[in-house]
Amino acid sequence: GQNIDQPTEMTATEGAIVQINCTYQTSGFNGLFWYQQHAGEAPTFLSYNVLDGLEEKGRFSSFLSRSKGYSYLLLKELQMKDSASYLCAVGLYNFNKFYFGSGTKLNVKP
Amino acid sequence: SQTIHQWPATLVQPVGSPLSLECTVEGTSNPNLYWYRQAAGRGLQLLFYSVGIGQISSEVPQNLSASRPQDRQFILSSKKLLLSDSGFYLCAWETGAAYGYTFGSGTRLTVV
């Protein structure tokens, strides 16, 4: 089976930096994705890592270590609108299958 | 442009009634299509995926079935709904390795 673990909930302050971790144990790994999901809405794509290292996209960065089965999403200069769930997902078998973690609910406080 | 449509947005159905949810994509051909379910406060569970017309792979044995009668149409069905079928159902389209999925807007199903 596939195991993808992330913390259930985190709280951070507006303007701060927060790191959301994701660990995985899978077979056929091709890449790791991060999605943002606001309550009651569909997830939207944030970032993608296929090679080890850091990918930066504005206020959001994502890191991958394939040897450790570990990724994190880094959110800088937090804004209230960043309050959402963040889903870690692994792409397997030439991206024919995607499995999601349970998501981390991020609460941003003033 | 490439888009994905899913309907209805919300649905309340009695136990034992049938279900049909439809998903269509536009602006692409031969897409990989997926059905996911998200229970309240939980992650996304992969239910079915399809790599082509008539090709359906089931991930979890359950009370649901899927069909792909046309290249850009993916249907989720049930003959008799159970209370445990309640959840947020999402259709997704794999838009390329670097972009992961594009999701439909989802259907919130409540079985009463």
Side-chain angles (χ1 to χ4, degrees):
Chain A
Q2 321 293 340
N3 290 317
I4 304 169
D5 293 313
Q6 21 178 162
T8 302
E9 191 165 358
M10 301 179 70
T11 300
T13 304
E14 191 175 16
I17 300 172
V18 70
Q19 178 175 313
I20 301 174
N21 296 326
C22 171
T23 57
Y24 63 90
Q25 289 179 304
T26 64
S27 55
F29 178 86
N30 290 122
L32 190 131
F33 299 79
W34 284 95
Y35 290 81
Q36 180 189 61
Q37 185 178 26
H38 285 100
E41 298 181 8
T44 55
F45 170 79
L46 285 180
S47 70
Y48 159 72
N49 294 74
V50 65
L51 300 175
D52 288 358
L54 189 67
E55 295 284 341
E56 298 188 73
K57 295 178 74 174
R59 294 191 300 115
F60 295 76
S61 303
S62 57
F63 171 83
L64 176 66
S65 169
R66 295 182 63 151
S67 62
K68 296 182 179 179
Y70 168 69
S71 174
Y72 67 73
L73 180 69
L74 194 70
L75 293 79
K76 304 175 185 176
E77 302 171 11
L78 279 173
Q79 302 175 10
M80 298 300 293
K81 67 178 182 179
D82 296 329
S83 291
S85 288
Y86 292 84
L87 308 176
C88 169
V90 294
L92 307 177
Y93 304 110
N94 294 321
F95 303 100
N96 276 344
K97 291 187 180 183
F98 289 75
Y99 290 93
F100 287 78
S102 297
T104 299
K105 184 179 180 183
L106 175 65
N107 302 302
V108 180
K109 295 189 173 181
Chain B
S1 63
Q2 299 170 330
T3 57
I4 180 168
H5 301 280
Q6 186 181 344
W7 66 92
T10 59
L11 197 57
V12 179
Q13 292 283 103
V15 168
S17 64
L19 173 74
S20 181
L21 302 181
E22 188 164 343
C23 171
T24 59
V25 296
E26 296 178 1
T28 187
S29 59
N30 199 31
N32 288 350
L33 298 173
Y34 305 81
W35 279 109
Y36 282 84
R37 177 171 61 200
Q38 187 174 37
R42 305 289 297 276
L44 274 68
Q45 180 187 28
L46 178 61
L47 300 176
F48 301 95
Y49 73 97
S50 172
V51 299
I53 296 174
Q55 300 180 62
I56 309 295
S57 295
S58 174
E59 282 293 299
V60 181
Q62 58 211 318
N63 186 42
L64 302 168
S65 62
S67 62
R68 187 163 175 181
Q70 301 179 39
D71 182 44
R72 285 171 279 183
Q73 184 184 32
F74 202 24
I75 297 171
L76 183 70
S77 304
S78 174
K79 292 183 179 178
K80 289 186 177 181
L81 284 169
L82 306 172
L83 287 174
S84 57
D85 292 323
S86 294
F88 190 41
Y89 288 81
L90 290 157
C91 178
W93 158 37
E94 191 235 313
T95 44
Y99 301 98
Y101 283 160
T102 295
F103 285 91
S105 52
T107 297
R108 189 161 305 282
L109 172 67
T110 304
V111 182
V112 296

